Amino acid sequence: MGQIAPIAVSEKNAAKMLDMPVGSFRDLVTDGILPRARKIGPHERWDADELRAILRGQMIDGYEDVKW
């Protein structure tokens, strides 16, 4: 069986996906540049595909004020 690609990631792994410190990732979320986590029960998780789409400039809806 191959490796499973995550569909949702923790704050630490979301920051790792973007190759930045957790504090920097958290600041970008707080500033509204990156989306907030979604609650899954008691857990906060970021949509991995959404982070990839933001990086590629494919996710614009709701982020019109962000300067890419």
Side-chain angles (χ1 to χ4, degrees), residues 22-62:
V22 172
S24 297
F25 178 83
R26 190 176 296 137
D27 289 343
L28 291 171
V29 171
T30 299
D31 292 343
I33 295 170
L34 291 174
R36 296 194 179 280
R38 292 177 173 84
K39 291 287 260 182
I40 303 171
H43 308 283
E44 289 190 337
R45 294 292 184 265
W46 278 261
D47 181 319
D49 286 334
E50 187 176 73
L51 293 174
R52 288 183 189 97
I54 289 167
L55 184 66
R56 291 182 189 122
Q58 297 170 332
M59 187 175 165
I60 296 176
D61 188 32

Side-chain angles (χ1 to χ4, degrees), residues 1-6:
M1 178 184 242
Q3 198 171 22
I4 297 173

